[in-house]
Amino acid sequence: MASVHSTSEVGRDHRVVVIGAGIGGLVAALQLAQRNLQVTLIEAMDAPGGKMRQPVVDGAPIDSGPTVFTMRWIFEQIYQSAGRRLEDELTLTSLPVLARHAWGAQERMDLFADPNASRDAIARFAGPPEAARFMQFCRQAREVYDTLEGPFIRSQSPTLASMAGDLGLKGLAVLAALGPMSNLWDALGQHFHDSRLRQLFARYATYCGSSPWQAPATLMLVTQVELDGVWSVEGGMHALAQSLAGIAQQRGVEIRYGTTCHAIEADGGRVSAVMLASGERLPADSVVFNGDVSALTQHLLGEDVRRAAPSLSPGKRSLSALTWSVHAETAGFPLERHNVFFQSDYRSEFTDIFSRARLPQTPTVYVCAQDRGISDTVPERDRLLVLVNAPAEGSRTLTEPEIDTCESHSFSLLARYGLTISRTPQNCLRTTPGDFHRMFPGSGGALYGMATHGWMSAFARSGAKSRIPGLYLAGGSVHPGPGVPMAAMSGQLAAATLMAHLDSTSRSRRVVISGGMSMRSAMTAGTD
Ligand SMILES: Cc1cc2nc3c(=O)[nH]c(=O)nc-3n(C[C@H](O)[C@H](O)[C@H](O)COP(=O)(O)OP(=O)(O)OC[C@H]3O[C@@H](n4cnc5c(N)ncnc54)[C@H](O)[C@@H]3O)c2cc1C
């Protein structure tokens, strides 16, 4: 007699282990549980979020990873698909000032959520013609974003050929207008005459861990993302991770914190189990890996999966960072939530990092003051994340004296621009590229996977489907790339790819079973 089992029946038997509770892993786990799969999520740290971590410094929890929450619509979709409303689960407040920028003690300019307010601020700062050029730039950034959202960002695994087809003549014309092979810095030069504004918008390349001099001009779409709105999350970005972890658990995901994956095993070329550092073995029909993809190619998770993705040379790594999480009194500078303190020789920063593999001698300093920006209330002590860009560990590890020098340059720059921070060893936690490397194995401390350098780099990232059947990839080191919203999207793509494989196998099983294949052989057939 022919027998048919539905996808949900296959799903209930299907055991998935998700490795890593970063945003990509959390979203993948949640969406797979929504499809009734048996999901276990293991995480080496003792809390969810990965880079969205919140260490307690001097009694205060401080967001010490991502601080800029953008692309709210992606999270609205994720919550909606879980039967929830984002606004019921988290308190998000739209920030009227996107960021405050300073080039000296008196030279300051804010960008606003309202583009007309930004235009007026630019007119006051750099003159009305520059403000008109800013509006023109916004139009081009919007066009680039709209052109690439479907064919690239939302695509499972875009290639140059697939994208050329999807773009159509209109899309190709938008990209051609950027100038053939132009980098972001050059493209910005076509708009801005004031070097400070060129520098301000070039900085968006660093959101992908890249140099404006090597990033393709298309990265101006990152600017558009921020101009579309920045929100603050009550409880910090870490609250987003906690919220998703809670919903995932309610949907049946078993989350095991403090649990490290030692190896991913494959049997007959297909993943079969996850070995924990404790020696426990978790049998798995599929695995989603949310760590840095380099951990696989560097054999950190065993020989069976070392060819899961193309290996990345250390020279292609994105930026790392040197950060200070501080809980202290501040004075002398009217902090907004997001503050950028620029130095004048911007290029030297990227030459130091990417060509000389050293900390910038004259760093740009970013300061997130997480209790500012929503109301006029000034906290007695600020919770700050101070960040400078740094090289990922390639061939060498930074020394303590080098790091101390960079620290002293960074805080003196802030003091010169008016901001003093009463730091003590007790109220300040320093995190170095080496620390990031230890927290995120295989990364060399790079926070954004591989750098987006050159036109083809965007196509070099792995997609959700690895080269090992049953192994899927999610996170900022795979397509569509880094940043919390993008990594969340990669989690959606990993879940969708796994489900598509499962659904297609289920369909082919139905066909085979109705043709007379035994139930046992159907159930043991691979799902790829
Ligand atoms: C300082 C800093 C500032 C940033 N600023 C912003 C910003 O303002 N806006 C923005 O959108 N993005 C920002 N980013 C980037 C953003 O945080 C990341 O792109 C994103 O959070 C990456 O998510 P992910 O899914 O790749 O997981 P990750 O956050 O990389 O987490 C991966 C998880 O996997 C776990 N794991 C790895 N290997 C194993 C193993 N073998 N066993 C068990 N667990 C394992 C790790 O412990 C970790 O928890 C910033 C990042 C940093 C560090």
Side-chain angles (χ1 to χ4, degrees), residues 20 22-24 43-44 50-51 65-68 259-261 290 387 447 475-476 483-485:
I23 186 74
E43 167 53 54
K51 297 188 177 81
T67 52
V68 184
T259 304
T260 302
C261 168
N290 176 223
L387 180 152
L447 300 175
V484 175

Side-chain angles (χ1 to χ4, degrees), residues 18-26 42-45 47-53 64-70 207 237 259-263 289-292 295 300-301 321 323 338 366 385 387 436 439-441 447-448 474-478 481-488 490-491:
V18 178
I19 302 166
I23 186 74
L26 287 167
I42 61 167
E43 167 53 54
M45 297 188 194
K51 297 188 177 81
M52 288 194 287
R53 64 197 184 97
S64 298
T67 52
V68 184
F69 182 88
T70 55
Y207 283 31
M237 292 289 277
T259 304
T260 302
C261 168
H262 172 68
F289 182 65
N290 176 223
D292 195 294
L300 300 183
L301 293 169
T323 67
H338 302 291
Y366 163 76
L385 177 70
L387 180 152
F436 284 118
M439 279 187 274
F440 306 106
L447 300 175
Y448 313 87
S477 66
V478 301
V484 175
M486 293 293 130
S490 79

